[in-house]
Amino acid sequence: MNGAILLLCIAVILFLALMIVLSAVKIVPEYERGVVFRLGRLVGARGPGLFFLIPVFERMVRVDTRVITMDVPAQEVITLDNVTIKVNAVLYFMVVNPNYAVVKVMDYIRATMQIAQTTLRSAVGQVDLDTLLAHREKLNERLQKIIDEQTEPWGVKVTIVEVKDVELPQSMQRAMAKQAEAEREKRAKIIHADGEFEASKKLAEAADIIAREPVTLQLRYLQTLTEIAVEKNSTIIFPLPVDTIKVFTDMANYAGVNGSPGNRPTPVVAPTTDQPQSGATRRLDG
């Protein structure tokens, strides 16, 4: 009887010893660190790998050191030029000091999230809409710097902050579309005017060459006729040189000014009613 009780006590003691040994053995993977507290005081971070804790006297808190990706919820912000928009972002951060991440802040993930939301509203409210849309890289760098400075005492390193989406009001979208359309029309008109200017210079050079060599105008007529003949047209236009018509027009102008002898009109002499003629007529009658 006494032997059975003794064996039972030994078995219980061995079982308790085994449980204590198993609770003292800790295995931490490569991406984690174990922050150890001894009687409530910070001992330090241990791991990765296998290590032992003093049962009852030491306690361990696991901390993930991998990069954490977090979506910052959409924030309604009024920009510097008084435009109400909704903007959201994505945040990448990691724990570089596990001791501070456990001791300095209660929940470093939630605290980092709140800091990111506040900083996003503040930073976007200090820039205008054009800067936000055209120079987003500078805003991302500014956000990363501000958030990293505030989370550094917690042992958290913010690596990247990216503004994902900017939601504009419908009225602002229509206004921006009109502005872009007007800008495109402006560029088109400028390009067209530049083309006309270059074409006018080339035409002036061509006119100078044609003025020195009139034969080139006839060659140009023939080339134009060749281009017209390529198309399936029923009418063929044959250009007549201006010099050929000029001879006939000069003759017509000369004939119209001087007149021909055969067609020259006969002058008509109207009878006069002077007083001396009337007196002479009376004398002859008498």
Side-chain angles (χ1 to χ4, degrees), residues 184-198:
R184 292 292 181 181
E185 291 181 357
K186 172 185 174 183
R187 294 179 183 178
K189 290 180 180 179
I190 292 176
I191 294 173
H192 181 71
D194 291 339
E196 292 291 337
F197 178 70
E198 295 294 332

Side-chain angles (χ1 to χ4, degrees), residues 39-195:
L39 296 177
R41 296 181 64 87
L42 176 65
V43 176
R46 296 182 183 178
L50 175 66
F51 57 91
F52 296 90
L53 296 180
I54 300 175
V56 181
F57 297 100
E58 290 184 347
R59 181 177 63 90
M60 184 187 71
V61 179
R62 294 177 181 267
V63 178
D64 196 331
T65 58
R66 292 176 293 183
V67 176
I68 301 175
T69 304
M70 182 181 301
D71 288 331
V72 181
Q75 305 294 314
E76 188 170 354
V77 187
I78 299 177
T79 59
L80 189 63
D81 50 352
N82 297 325
V83 179
T84 303
I85 61 174
K86 286 185 178 181
V87 57
N88 60 355
V90 60
L91 181 68
Y92 297 87
F93 64 96
M94 61 185 298
V95 176
V96 294
N97 193 330
N99 297 332
Y100 288 174
V102 175
V103 176
K104 298 293 185 179
V105 63
M106 181 180 294
D107 187 352
Y108 66 90
I109 296 179
R110 183 173 181 273
T112 304
M113 168 66 76
Q114 297 298 323
I115 287 294
Q117 294 181 16
T118 305
T119 307
L120 181 62
R121 288 195 298 267
S122 176
V124 174
Q126 295 177 4
V127 297
D128 54 9
L129 183 60
D130 293 338
T131 303
L132 176 61
L133 297 177
H135 304 285
R136 191 174 298 183
E137 295 80 8
K138 296 181 180 179
L139 181 62
N140 294 335
E141 294 177 0
R142 182 181 178 187
L143 287 171
Q144 186 269 335
K145 182 178 180 181
I146 295 174
I147 298 175
D148 185 54
E149 289 177 353
Q150 296 180 353
T151 58
E152 184 179 2
W154 305 337
V156 177
K157 173 64 177 177
V158 178
T159 56
I160 301 174
V161 179
E162 291 286 343
V163 176
K164 286 201 308 183
D165 187 22
V166 178
E167 183 178 352
L168 299 175
Q170 293 294 330
S171 59
M172 182 57 63
Q173 293 181 11
R174 290 192 295 268
M176 293 179 65
K178 292 180 180 179
Q179 180 182 1
E181 184 179 357
E183 185 67 24
R184 292 292 181 181
E185 291 181 357
K186 172 185 174 183
R187 294 179 183 178
K189 290 180 180 179
I190 292 176
I191 294 173
H192 181 71
D194 291 339

